[in-house]
Amino acid sequence: MKDLLLITPPFTQLNTPYPATAYLKGFLNTKIISSFQIDLGIEVILELFSKEGLVNLFQASNCKLHEISENSERIFILKNEYIKTIDSVIAFLQGKNSSLARQICSGNFLPEASRFELFNNDPDALGYAFGSMGMQDKAKHLATLYLEDISDFIVECVDENFGFSRYAERLGRSANSFDELYIALHNKPTYIDKITLKILKNRVEQVTPKLILLSVPFPGNLYSAFRCAQFIKKNYPEAKIAMGGGFPNTELRDLKDKRVFEFFDFITLDDGELPVELLHQFTCHSELVSEPQFKRTFRLESNQVVYRNNALRKDYKQSEVGTPDYSDLLLDKYISVIEIANPMHSLWSDGRWNKLTMAHGCYWGKCTFCDISLDYIKLYEPVAAKLLVDRMEELMAQTGENGFHFVDEAAPPALMREVALEILRRDLVVTWWTNIRFEKSFTADLCILLKASGCIAVSGGLEVASDRLLELIKKGVTVEQVAQVTRNFTESGIMVHAYLMYGYPTQTVQETIDSLEMVRQLFEMGILQSGFWHQFAMTAHSPVGLDPDAFGVIPQQNEITFANNDIVFKDRIGINHDKFSFGLKKSLFNYMHGVCFDYDLQDWFDFKIPKTKIAPNYISNCIEKEQNFSLKPNSKIIWLGTNPIIENFTKTKKGNSWEMMQFIFHDKINSFEIALEKEKGEWFYAVLDKIAIKNITIQTLGQIKNDFEENFEDFELFWHSKPIQIIRNNGLITL
């Protein structure tokens, strides 16, 4: 028996748990509050995509072959092949049956429907994507297509609401009224509902909680959360039920409909630690509470929806919330999939990632499309680097995984630097990636440091690749700056994903086409590896949503009694941005596969577009601009390499002889050497020890310069000499 049951309702990710319940459980551990967590999404998927699950699925479909598509008809006819292979495929995608890759790749093992058409039409496409040796990834991709074929069948023949990472999402999107969702909840449970509720029943009876928390991060979790709450209310009325998470934080701030509380007792907003602690006191230890205390909590009182925020206690600092705890979750059962053949893009779906946060909120907090008025963005609080790396080590010991996804709004460059240094000083072997802003702070040397610490990828918002619109967005970057930063990351071996936007208020057709041309050049130059186009959405809590007149948009407001976030609007310039969606996404799909750079932009659209005004070498010129090599005394100097082998020798020229010192360096890939005059060599050898990565105290360039000039003359000549440039290209970095 546990006091609390933490639930993530279907569906979020296949490959790794959504971290909200793990964060909350980690906090509850610090308060000695007992809890159990479940990811209903992965448990439903595993039951559905099993031998028994598919037998039941095909029986439930009641297909009339003449009434369904040819694709679903083919899948139904091949149902025995799907039933026979499903358990082996799922085990392979869980990393338990790696030898199956050869059979999958050899062909005639997996039944194939419409998702395989690309490769059936172009048999060489798999070779282009994975080469001759990428067998595991190739097999994962084929197995993913196989699952997607089954998903297509489910949507057409069994449950139209199904999706691997969402369920009944339409009901949760911009639902200003609760009516449609309320009606759906009073319909008979769907096929997926029945599986969900069967698992939920077992878990509730196993845990017997007093308080059940449903974390709802996205609209695609909302319906299932209500369906679960409805089931619990009916069958376990003694348990109290609360909702929190990203969806209520952004969408339910104006909640008025009391029918919501037929399902939930409480709905909390923003950071969940203190609200949940107070709910635990109220529901589990009411005898100890003289006056109920609530933090940012909706509830029903006297048949009216009220918002209670009477607790005087302040929210917990990030240093006080504990380390996320992934126990209870089925970590070895998650499924790694590869939807498209792009190594950067696959990070979101392939591999098990421990999720952490470097800093609460956003250090920039100015972007006009973003919810900067809400606490999850505006309250910026970084975590100390040493504490972060302590948490990384705890999670590695707990989960057996050393991969980390820092899920920041935008990780601060200075903190990323300190985390990287701490990782290297502790000799940890980790793999990590995060979301950033394309700051000029990401110099070539900082990127080298991040790579050395295990950073493999970053994602960031380029948004609209137009300097006019970037200024209007208050992004704080230019296209030129983005190009130079992505070059620095790419040259260091770190992959880059860009979030791209179209349809921003006042954006013209010309700017959309020019933005596409910028993106084309970034991919062609090889400094962007992945991207995703989003159409601008006006949210209620963004500067655009709060002051639409200032941005030239006309909101189409409805009465708000339930959800309020995405606002329908008209752009005063009257452009239909929807029509660009297919062409932008199709071109990007090809660019991510490294093809079609020579296509005219017109080829991507079935309507007339203007010629781009961007010079064909614009991005090339941006990244070829000379970098500033001026000496900055406060720059930190760090040596990432190993100790060199030293040999003394005598150099003779035109009858003159002098002592020299040769340094022979070995790194993980190459060997190289330099030679310095003996006195300077002895000085430099001592300096290498002072600036080695293992040292807690970091030397600045000014300190090194002063030390040099106590013994020799002209530090700048020495610093820019050929031997030192060789070292600087091989692990001597300035930050």
Side-chain angles (χ1 to χ4, degrees), residues 161-419:
N161 292 315
F162 179 74
F164 280 117
S165 59
R166 61 190 61 84
Y167 187 77
E169 184 178 50
R170 177 186 58 81
L171 294 172
R173 282 203 171 279
S174 302
N176 297 154
S177 167
F178 189 50
D179 289 349
E180 189 177 5
L181 182 56
Y182 190 73
I183 291 168
L185 290 164
H186 285 84
N187 292 335
K188 290 182 179 180
T190 66
Y191 186 81
I192 302 299
D193 287 341
K194 291 174 184 176
I195 297 174
T196 302
L197 298 179
K198 183 182 79 170
I199 296 170
L200 178 64
K201 179 179 185 293
N202 292 336
R203 292 300 198 178
V204 172
E205 291 179 358
Q206 170 193 350
V207 178
T208 61
K210 298 175 182 175
L211 175 62
I212 298 173
L213 309 177
L214 284 140
S215 177
V216 183
F218 308 116
N221 304 97
L222 185 69
Y223 167 85
S224 289
F226 272 90
R227 185 61 94 180
C228 290
Q230 180 186 51
F231 176 82
I232 295 165
K233 277 286 180 192
K234 179 180 178 181
N235 294 283
Y236 309 98
E238 67 282 0
K240 297 298 182 182
I241 312 170
M243 181 205 297
F247 183 88
N249 292 351
T250 55
E251 305 260 0
L252 299 185
R253 306 187 80 86
D254 301 309
L255 180 63
K256 299 181 180 69
D257 196 321
K258 63 185 180 183
R259 292 177 298 174
V260 170
F261 294 92
E262 295 174 20
F263 305 84
F264 290 94
D265 298 292
F266 313 101
I267 294 178
T268 69
L269 303 181
D270 302 326
D271 291 353
E273 290 85 5
L274 183 54
V276 166
E277 183 184 10
L278 294 173
L279 288 182
H280 173 258
Q281 290 177 2
F282 179 70
T283 57
C284 301
H285 300 287
S286 56
E287 73 281 359
L288 303 178
V289 180
S290 56
E291 181 181 347
Q293 300 284 303
F294 298 100
K295 194 76 171 179
R296 297 185 300 274
T297 301
F298 285 106
R299 64 190 298 243
L300 200 66
E301 296 179 6
S302 302
N303 206 33
Q304 296 294 319
V305 178
V306 296
Y307 179 69
R308 293 295 180 212
N309 193 25
N310 62 329
L312 299 178
R313 293 170 57 187
K314 292 184 178 180
D315 283 296
Y316 287 95
K317 297 290 186 183
Q318 291 302 296
S319 59
E320 301 169 332
V321 297
T323 300
D325 183 350
Y326 287 90
S327 62
D328 312 326
L329 298 172
L330 309 179
L331 296 183
D332 61 340
K333 300 288 181 66
Y334 283 84
I335 301 167
S336 288
V337 296
I338 296 179
E339 296 164 301
I340 68 171
N342 179 287
M344 173 73 218
H345 211 76
S346 68
L347 290 179
W348 279 273
S349 62
D350 185 23
R352 241 283 298 139
W353 302 100
N354 296 317
K355 299 197 177 188
L356 282 172
T357 307
M358 289 193 188
H360 181 289
C362 178
Y363 68 93
W364 178 249
K366 298 177 184 178
C367 296
T368 55
F369 61 83
C370 188
D371 293 337
I372 61 175
S373 66
L374 298 184
D375 285 356
Y376 83 95
I377 298 290
K378 74 178 181 181
L379 296 184
Y380 173 67
E381 183 193 345
V383 180
K386 287 186 177 180
L387 179 56
L388 268 172
V389 182
D390 286 345
R391 289 176 177 174
M392 291 174 76
E393 292 200 85
E394 283 184 57
L395 283 173
M396 289 164 67
Q398 178 196 129
T399 67
E401 299 281 355
N402 66 351
F404 292 86
H405 181 194
F406 290 98
V407 292
D408 292 63
E409 299 299 325
L415 182 53
M416 289 173 68
R417 178 193 69 207
E418 294 306 311
V419 167

Side-chain angles (χ1 to χ4, degrees), residues 464-701:
V464 182
S466 154
D467 285 341
R468 181 189 80 84
L469 290 169
L470 286 170
E471 186 174 350
L472 189 61
I473 289 171
K474 295 187 179 178
K475 192 68 186 174
V477 300
T478 63
V479 175
E480 178 179 299
Q481 180 179 316
V482 171
Q484 291 166 353
V485 169
T486 57
R487 172 206 59 203
N488 292 342
F489 278 114
T490 300
E491 289 183 350
S492 72
I494 296 174
M495 297 183 292
V496 184
H497 173 91
Y499 298 108
L500 306 166
M501 183 187 293
Y502 64 102
Y504 190 81
T506 74
Q507 182 173 356
T508 65
V509 172
Q510 185 67 59
E511 286 172 324
T512 299
I513 300 308
D514 289 348
S515 182
L516 174 58
E517 172 61 14
M518 294 284 203
V519 170
R520 186 196 69 79
Q521 291 186 31
L522 287 164
F523 275 96
E524 187 175 32
M525 294 300 298
I527 56 176
L528 200 58
Q529 289 74 50
S530 174
F532 190 85
W533 285 106
H534 303 256
Q535 187 166 355
F536 169 76
M538 184 167 77
T539 61
H541 312 291
S542 68
V544 179
L546 293 170
D547 188 9
D549 285 345
F551 294 88
V553 296
I554 305 167
Q556 312 293 301
Q557 295 280 19
N558 299 317
E559 181 185 0
I560 307 298
T561 58
F562 183 55
N564 180 28
N565 192 35
D566 288 3
I567 301 173
V568 178
F569 69 95
K570 290 183 179 179
D571 191 331
R572 288 201 176 105
I573 64 174
I575 294 173
N576 175 18
H577 295 288
D578 295 351
K579 67 181 182 179
F580 292 96
S581 178
F582 182 79
L584 291 173
K585 292 176 181 178
K586 184 176 181 181
S587 60
L588 183 63
F589 179 85
N590 283 277
Y591 298 158
M592 285 198 296
H593 287 84
V595 296
C596 300
F597 296 121
D598 56 343
Y599 278 34
D600 192 291
L601 298 185
Q602 178 65 68
D603 295 340
W604 303 115
F605 302 93
D606 59 3
F607 54 90
K608 186 68 176 174
I609 62 168
K611 291 283 186 183
T612 182
K613 293 184 178 180
I614 304 301
N617 57 351
Y618 180 85
I619 296 297
S620 176
N621 290 339
C622 288
I623 63 178
E624 287 174 2
K625 287 190 176 181
E626 288 191 14
Q627 299 179 56
N628 182 8
F629 291 109
S630 60
L631 299 183
K632 297 178 181 178
N634 292 330
S635 294
K636 297 177 173 63
I637 307 299
I638 295 172
W639 169 237
L640 297 175
T642 57
N643 289 331
I645 299 169
I646 302 299
E647 294 180 359
N648 294 317
F649 67 97
T650 302
K651 185 173 182 179
T652 302
K653 188 175 182 181
K654 295 183 179 180
N656 295 318
S657 299
W658 61 95
E659 294 298 308
M660 298 287 292
M661 181 178 285
Q662 184 178 45
F663 294 70
I664 303 169
F665 295 90
H666 295 276
D667 63 24
K668 284 182 272 191
I669 299 173
N670 298 310
S671 300
F672 60 96
E673 56 187 59
I674 64 168
L676 296 171
E677 296 172 8
K678 185 177 180 182
E679 292 79 6
K680 290 179 180 176
E682 290 173 342
W683 174 86
F684 186 65
Y685 184 74
V687 165
L688 282 177
D689 188 60
K690 292 180 183 177
I691 62 176
I693 186 71
K694 68 178 186 293
N695 294 316
I696 301 298
T697 303
I698 298 177
Q699 298 281 308
T700 65
L701 187 60

Side-chain angles (χ1 to χ4, degrees), residues 55-239:
V55 168
N56 294 335
L57 177 75
F58 286 117
Q59 288 175 349
S61 65
N62 290 319
C63 279
K64 296 179 181 178
L65 297 185
H66 62 281
E67 295 180 358
I68 60 176
S69 67
E70 288 185 9
N71 188 59
S72 290
E73 182 179 292
R74 173 176 172 78
I75 293 170
F76 187 77
I77 290 170
L78 292 171
K79 61 181 182 293
N80 289 335
E81 293 298 324
Y82 286 100
I83 291 166
K84 181 174 74 174
T85 52
I86 187 65
D87 285 347
S88 295
V89 170
I90 293 296
F92 167 70
L93 293 174
Q94 291 172 331
K96 300 172 184 174
N97 191 12
S98 61
S99 62
L100 190 69
R102 296 182 179 275
Q103 195 165 2
I104 291 173
C105 293
S106 66
N108 201 29
F109 174 70
L110 297 178
E112 299 178 5
S114 64
R115 297 288 183 147
F116 288 79
E117 284 178 2
L118 170 65
F119 300 124
N120 292 334
N121 295 334
D122 182 5
D124 294 328
L126 274 174
Y128 299 146
F130 296 101
S132 60
M133 292 301 292
M135 187 170 292
Q136 292 291 322
D137 282 352
K138 178 180 175 181
K140 278 185 187 178
H141 183 51
L142 292 172
T144 303
L145 299 178
Y146 160 93
L147 293 182
E148 289 174 340
D149 275 335
I150 302 174
S151 172
D152 292 341
F153 179 84
I154 294 171
V155 171
E156 182 177 353
C157 301
V158 180
D159 192 335
E160 64 180 359
N161 292 315
F162 179 74
F164 280 117
S165 59
R166 61 190 61 84
Y167 187 77
E169 184 178 50
R170 177 186 58 81
L171 294 172
R173 282 203 171 279
S174 302
N176 297 154
S177 167
F178 189 50
D179 289 349
E180 189 177 5
L181 182 56
Y182 190 73
I183 291 168
L185 290 164
H186 285 84
N187 292 335
K188 290 182 179 180
T190 66
Y191 186 81
I192 302 299
D193 287 341
K194 291 174 184 176
I195 297 174
T196 302
L197 298 179
K198 183 182 79 170
I199 296 170
L200 178 64
K201 179 179 185 293
N202 292 336
R203 292 300 198 178
V204 172
E205 291 179 358
Q206 170 193 350
V207 178
T208 61
K210 298 175 182 175
L211 175 62
I212 298 173
L213 309 177
L214 284 140
S215 177
V216 183
F218 308 116
N221 304 97
L222 185 69
Y223 167 85
S224 289
F226 272 90
R227 185 61 94 180
C228 290
Q230 180 186 51
F231 176 82
I232 295 165
K233 277 286 180 192
K234 179 180 178 181
N235 294 283
Y236 309 98
E238 67 282 0

